[in-house]
Amino acid sequence: MNTRQLYLIKLGEICLKGENRAYFEKRLKTNIKKKLKPLKPTFRIQKGRFFLETNGGPQADEQVCRALETTPGLVGFSKTLKLSKDIETLKESAKILMKGVFDTELSFKVISRRSDKSFPMDSYEISCELGGVILEAYPKGKVNVKNPDVIIYVEIRDKAYMYSSASSHKGPSGLPVGVAGKGLLLLSGGIDSPVAGYRMAARGLRQDAIYFHTYPYTSDEALEKVKDLAKLISPYLNGTRLFVVPFTKAQLHINAHSNSEEHTLLMRYCMVKIANIVAKEVRAKTLVTGESLSQVASQTLESLTFTDSASDIPVLRPLIGLDKEEIINTARDIGTYETSILPYEDCCTIFSPKHPLVRPDKELMIASYKKLEIEEMLQEAADNCERFEFTYS
Ligand code: ATP
Ligand code: MG
């Protein structure tokens, strides 16, 4: 017979929702269900508590943790014991829960909550009783009510629930993917854009990704790196597709028909134009980039004003106010950093001029773009995208 395992899920911003909270919770359930289908997940929402139950076992537990840690909308979760409401069962379970945790000298406290007032002990008595049992079983442990290493939580409701902070995990917070509609992420091989995709996923945005490949100036390895990054962020995005645009012809045309200090800006303008064509095809309502104000010449206010003017849909830049260290910290957290720093270069680096314009005049730049007569080439590049799929697991 299959045993079932219970998890208590902590919601963040969803809790601030009013009448439409059920809509957000439903989306979260759908997203989790999709990831954990083979484990037959079921849900119960009880007085603001969000419970998930799945088929159990160590492998299943690993799978659940991986799935929930990458699911926007939840702040955290804990593997939870569901017990009958008698103190002897609670005492035995507290000892089992702490097995392994107290091999070293850790301090702890018990926090109890009794919603079912017919339970014969009040919350203070429950905490004291369980604290005593744990101390007896694990003499290395110490009680510390102010700043404990481990907290054991007990809740007496329809059943008794018990979990510990030692088996609690963090989620990405934010809102469930899908509640904000769909966007198209401009994914390069750098540190920033995967983080931008992750950030927007945590605001509820579903995303496909697009990469501009300038083969052979950018190598096969550079493309593989971007595919690896798409795969790494895919669980957060609840699955994604990557569109690879053959960009060489357009890039060489720009280089041959404009001044070198305009190359980067015109290249970025053309990228946004192509991204608009693809966005329309995949019904994305916004673009997402990893730009951060003043990071490079193409990310000054004037440069962004120019590239924005290539787009019919909003360009979201979730990293706009972050500094590189903050972005790197997030890249490490989501596991993209090590891949992002692999050395294969992006077209932005290879074709970047020695002296790029820093404060371009939008009208002059638009005139330079028109002189390129490149629209057909951009349409052709968009039409010839290669497509890759990445699942959510
Ligand atoms: P990143 O670390 O994301 O590569 P960056 O600091 O290198 O960013 P830029 O090269 O100016 O900055 O790129 C800014 C943004 O433009 C990127 O974050 C990404 O969204 C987009 N971008 C740049 N190059 C490409 C590309 N080849 N394909 C798709 N998007 C790109
Ligand atoms: Mg880059």
Side-chain angles (χ1 to χ4, degrees), residues 7 26 98 117 125 130 145 163 230 248 268-269 298 304 306 313 346 376:
Y7 298 84
K26 193 169 165 212
M98 288 298 99
K117 301 293 179 206
E125 288 167 334
L130 297 183
V145 279
Y163 58 97
T248 316
R268 302 199 55 76
Y269 193 89
S298 61
L304 296 178
F306 170 59
I313 51 179
D346 187 45
E376 234 173 78

Side-chain angles (χ1 to χ4, degrees), residues 211 213 215-216 218-227 344:
Y211 168 62
H213 191 35
Y215 186 80
T218 50
S219 59
D220 280 337
E221 284 92 341
L223 172 59
E224 284 310 309
K225 179 179 162 184
V226 174
K227 280 168 44 185
Y344 316 113

Side-chain angles (χ1 to χ4, degrees), residues 187-193 268 295 299 324 346-349:
L187 184 65
S188 69
I191 296 168
D192 304 332
S193 44
R268 302 199 55 76
Q295 195 187 73
Q299 294 171 30
K324 199 73 186 187
D346 187 45
C347 52
C348 294
T349 330

Side-chain angles (χ1 to χ4, degrees), residues 214-215 217 247-257 351 377:
T214 322
Y215 186 80
Y217 302 95
F247 196 56
T248 316
K249 208 166 148 189
Q251 177 75 68
L252 295 178
H253 184 87
I254 295 166
N255 292 0
H257 297 90
F351 293 105
M377 220 178 265

Side-chain angles (χ1 to χ4, degrees), residues 8-194:
L8 174 62
I9 290 179
K10 211 169 141 200
L11 305 178
E13 207 174 314
I14 294 179
C15 297
L16 304 177
K17 299 287 170 198
E19 281 180 9
N20 53 1
R21 176 170 169 166
Y23 164 73
F24 288 84
E25 286 176 343
K26 193 169 165 212
R27 179 63 75 155
L28 183 62
K29 277 196 244 173
T30 310
N31 293 352
I32 296 174
K33 227 179 204 167
K34 194 169 145 188
K35 286 183 174 180
L36 293 175
K37 207 169 172 191
L39 299 179
K40 303 200 168 14
T42 51
F43 299 90
R44 192 158 50 90
I45 299 169
Q46 193 189 34
K47 294 196 177 131
R49 291 288 206 218
F50 194 98
F51 289 103
L52 161 70
E53 203 169 73
T54 66
N55 285 347
Q59 262 183 346
D61 186 47
E62 225 174 84
Q63 211 178 327
V64 172
C65 288
R66 214 169 348 111
L68 297 185
E69 277 169 349
T70 56
T71 301
L74 55 94
V75 167
F77 59 95
S78 310
K79 198 171 164 180
T80 300
L81 300 174
K82 184 173 163 188
L83 306 161
S84 62
K85 288 189 278 188
D86 70 86
I87 190 68
E88 290 312 315
T89 306
L90 294 183
K91 280 157 90 174
E92 279 317 299
S93 303
K95 282 195 268 179
I96 294 167
L97 194 70
M98 288 298 99
K99 214 175 183 174
V101 176
F102 278 131
D103 289 344
T104 49
E105 283 182 26
L106 288 177
S107 62
F108 74 97
K109 82 169 174 183
V110 181
I111 297 181
S112 307
R113 246 161 83 181
R114 184 185 59 147
S115 320
D116 173 8
K117 301 293 179 206
S118 71
F119 192 78
M121 297 164 83
D122 67 21
S123 44
Y124 178 73
E125 288 167 334
I126 300 168
S127 296
C128 291
E129 186 78 14
L130 297 183
V133 166
I134 292 169
L135 274 180
E136 228 170 77
Y138 305 102
K140 276 186 177 173
K142 263 192 252 136
V143 174
N144 179 346
V145 279
K146 277 211 172 122
N147 194 18
D149 298 311
V150 182
I151 304 176
I152 297 108
Y153 296 91
V154 181
E155 294 189 16
I156 312 289
R157 300 162 167 265
D158 59 323
K159 291 271 181 186
Y161 298 91
M162 188 185 288
Y163 58 97
S164 101
S165 60
S167 59
S168 297
H169 302 253
K170 276 191 174 161
S173 301
L175 296 169
V177 171
V179 296
K182 183 171 175 186
L184 183 64
L185 168 68
L186 276 73
L187 184 65
S188 69
I191 296 168
D192 304 332
S193 44

Side-chain angles (χ1 to χ4, degrees), residues 183-186 196-197 200 205 207 286-290 315-318:
L184 183 64
L185 168 68
L186 276 73
M200 291 320 301
L205 194 69
Q207 290 162 85
T286 184
L287 302 182
V288 176
T289 79
V315 182
L316 301 181
R317 301 180 170 98

